[in-house]
Amino acid sequence: MDLGLRGRRAAVAAASRGLGYACAAALAAEGARVALCARDRAGVDAAAARLGDGAVPIVADVSTPEGAAAFAEAAEAALGGVDILVTNAGGPPRGTVGEITDLHAYADAFALNALSAIAMCQVVLPGMRARTWGRIVAITSITVRQPAPDLVLSNTARAGLTGYLKTLAREVAADGVTVNSLQPGLHLTERLAGLGIDPAAAGAQIPAGFVGDPADFGAVAAFLCSDAARYLTGVALPVDGGVAAGLQ
Ligand code: NAD
């Protein structure tokens, strides 16, 4: 299936590895021109070199809305406009409601996992609306659907972002801009490996029987960005091998 992405210009945040990189790689494989960011020059340069096809590496820290907006602006300048935005960032610290009592921790998590994505949307939306074509895909988490007890910061910030995205999706639907989020379950990224999770044991708990490959996630992101998905907007979609057990 031709996804119709050849020549589209994509900005993918936090993408030197993991799920962000997988989205960038899937888009580049479909012929999109990609600008990507990470905080460290060496990491983002190496990722861009792996992507090939003129991928543009940008050093940016998306833990604040200012840093995130700066990335989106630099991507627009480098590509001559942004047709596709994939928002992403690292995750906030773990902790339960009882453990995380400092409200500043919530504010930091909100900046990292909600405001930064909103700031990137604000930069790219005017161009997308003017051209009547745009795709926004936010990487959130399955914890939006099933809050994890020890991830209260992530649960709270990402649910807030999901509310914004749903509101935005309906506001810009008539302009040819779709807005969706993807909720990763368990994917074998460096972050996961760093947590010491055994893929075989974890996979046995997943209905599909295995931990997702980041490429499984990137493929769904690329489809959401395609012409074929033009009627799909306002969706928060789990990519989790069947982990989420509810109907919605
Ligand atoms: P990862 O650690 O493998 O990769 C994170 C990427 O983001 C790296 O390229 C890193 O350089 C970049 N990055 C981190 N903080 C940044 C910042 N402040 N500014 C710019 N770049 C930054 O992580 P991942 O597993 O790919 O996860 C991506 C997102 O998805 C995270 O928010 C994570 O919490 C969430 N998530 C992941 C999973 C999973 O199974 N991997 C599950 C649920 C949610």
Side-chain angles (χ1 to χ4, degrees), residues 53-155:
D53 288 334
V56 181
I58 294 170
V59 174
D61 183 345
V62 299
S63 61
T64 65
E66 294 78 15
F71 165 60
E73 285 161 3
E76 283 211 320
L79 300 175
V82 167
D83 306 306
I84 295 166
L85 170 67
V86 179
T87 73
N88 186 31
R94 285 181 173 269
T96 64
V97 170
E99 288 162 354
I100 300 186
T101 52
D102 182 358
L103 289 180
H104 293 103
Y106 285 84
D108 289 347
F110 203 71
L112 176 70
N113 292 125
L115 292 181
S116 70
I118 294 169
M120 288 185 260
C121 290
Q122 287 183 345
V123 171
V124 303
L125 273 166
M128 289 180 175
R129 296 181 85 169
R131 293 187 295 272
T132 63
W133 200 97
R135 298 286 184 269
I136 294 174
V137 177
I139 299 178
T140 63
S141 173
I142 197 65
T143 60
V144 172
R145 194 166 289 262
Q146 286 181 181
D150 64 338
L151 288 175
V152 66
L153 295 177
S154 172
N155 301 341

Side-chain angles (χ1 to χ4, degrees), residues 13-21 37-40 43-44 47 58-64 88-92 112-113 139-143 151 154 158 183-192 211-212 214 217:
S16 62
R17 57 171 198 259
L19 302 179
Y21 179 82
C37 83
R39 285 167 296 188
D40 63 306
V44 75
I58 294 170
V59 174
D61 183 345
V62 299
S63 61
T64 65
N88 186 31
L112 176 70
N113 292 125
I139 299 178
T140 63
S141 173
I142 197 65
T143 60
L151 288 175
S154 172
R158 297 186 206 265
Q183 302 174 332
L186 220 46
H187 293 263
L188 201 51
T189 63
E190 283 183 31
R191 191 183 74 90
L192 214 69
V211 172
F217 190 87

Side-chain angles (χ1 to χ4, degrees), residues 146-176:
Q146 286 181 181
D150 64 338
L151 288 175
V152 66
L153 295 177
S154 172
N155 301 341
T156 305
R158 297 186 206 265
L161 174 63
T162 304
Y164 167 85
L165 295 168
K166 183 69 172 177
T167 313
L168 175 62
R170 301 187 76 230
E171 200 166 313
V172 300
D175 298 326

Side-chain angles (χ1 to χ4, degrees), residues 7-38:
R8 295 285 186 199
R9 301 158 298 184
V12 186
S16 62
R17 57 171 198 259
L19 302 179
Y21 179 82
C23 293
L27 291 167
E30 293 294 327
R33 291 168 54 214
V34 175
L36 67 158
C37 83

